Amino acid sequence: MHKRIDNFLPEDLFKNLQSLLLNGDENQIMPWYYRFAIADYDDTEGFVFGNDIFDRGNIPDMGLFEEIAWPICSRIPMSSLIRIKINCHPRQTLRGSENYPKCRFHTDMKEDHTVGILSINNCNGYTEFEDGTKLESIENSLVIFNGKTKHRSVGQTDENIRVNINLNFVSRPWEHLMELDEEFNNR
C-alpha cells in the first residue's frame, strides 16, 4: 500500500530545489558523496552519490537542511523525523539497455517508520516493491509507504541521473496518511 501526492511542493519552491540538485553548473552547491553500495554495504552491484542532510538529530549543514528539508517536512504530518537522505543515481548502463542496477530488496531501518520518496526529475528509474509494484520517478511527486515494506531502487536508462529525496519519519497513524490528499498541498 502506498500513496502518491503529485505537485507536492509549490512550483516556485520545487523549481528552486530542482535547480539546486540538478543544474550541475557553478551555482550548484550540493555536495555529493560517493557510496560504493546502494542499499547496504554488501549490495555492491551498483553505486550512488548521496548526502544525508539529517540523521537521527545530526544536521551536518544547517543551510542545506533549511533549504531542502524544511519545505518538505513542514508539509508532512509527522511525529518525528529520523533521516533525510538525498540520492543521486548516475546512469550505469547504455541508453536503452535494461534498467540496472537493481539493488537488494530492503527496509531502510528496523524500527517502525514511514518512507517518503520525493522525485526531483522524471526518468524511467523507479522504486519497486517485492510484489512487483513499481513507483515511477515523476518530478515533484511524493510517494509514501509503510517502512516495513521491502523495496529496492532500480536505475534509469533514459537520463544521466535520477535524483530523489528519501525521508524516514515517524508519522501519525499510517491509516491517517493514506486518507490525506490535497491537504498536503495546503501546508
Side-chain angles (χ1 to χ4, degrees), residues 21-181:
L21 299 175
L22 296 181
N23 274 351
D25 60 21
E26 68 276 357
N27 297 318
Q28 185 182 35
I29 60 168
M30 173 51 67
W32 295 113
Y33 301 100
Y34 171 74
R35 295 179 175 159
F36 67 89
I38 297 176
D40 57 53
Y41 292 118
D42 295 325
D43 187 17
T44 58
E45 285 300 310
F47 62 93
V48 67
F49 292 93
N51 191 329
D52 291 357
I53 61 170
F54 182 89
D55 191 359
R56 300 180 189 276
N58 182 28
I59 303 173
D61 184 324
M62 185 56 79
L64 283 177
F65 179 82
E66 289 173 352
E67 191 165 2
I68 297 170
W70 184 245
I72 297 168
C73 292
S74 65
R75 289 172 171 74
I76 298 175
M78 65 175 72
S79 300
S80 63
L81 179 62
I82 302 169
R83 180 179 70 174
I84 298 180
K85 179 175 74 160
I86 304 172
N87 298 308
C88 178
H89 300 270
R91 182 171 48 88
Q92 297 179 50
T93 65
L94 296 173
R95 288 187 190 274
S97 301
E98 182 182 346
N99 290 48
Y100 178 85
K102 297 177 181 181
C103 74
R104 295 180 185 185
F105 285 106
H106 65 281
T107 57
D108 292 350
M109 47 198 57
K110 292 180 181 176
E111 67 255 45
D112 287 342
H113 67 288
T114 299
V115 175
I117 299 174
L118 177 63
S119 292
I120 303 302
N121 63 319
N122 295 317
C123 67
N124 68 359
Y126 52 91
T127 299
E128 182 179 23
F129 295 151
E130 278 187 311
D131 70 2
T133 300
K134 295 178 182 177
L135 308 175
E136 298 173 292
S137 295
I138 301 170
E139 71 178 37
N140 199 16
S141 74
L142 177 77
V143 177
I144 55 174
F145 56 91
N146 189 310
K148 294 178 182 177
T149 306
K150 286 193 172 189
H151 61 282
R152 68 177 174 182
S153 176
V154 179
Q156 76 287 351
T157 62
D158 61 336
E159 296 291 334
N160 283 336
I161 60 174
R162 172 185 179 218
V163 176
N164 58 40
I165 300 175
N166 179 289
L167 299 100
N168 302 112
F169 57 95
V170 177
S171 66
R172 294 181 186 164
W174 174 247
E175 295 76 22
H176 177 69
L177 281 176
M178 294 285 80
E179 294 170 5
L180 294 175
D181 198 355

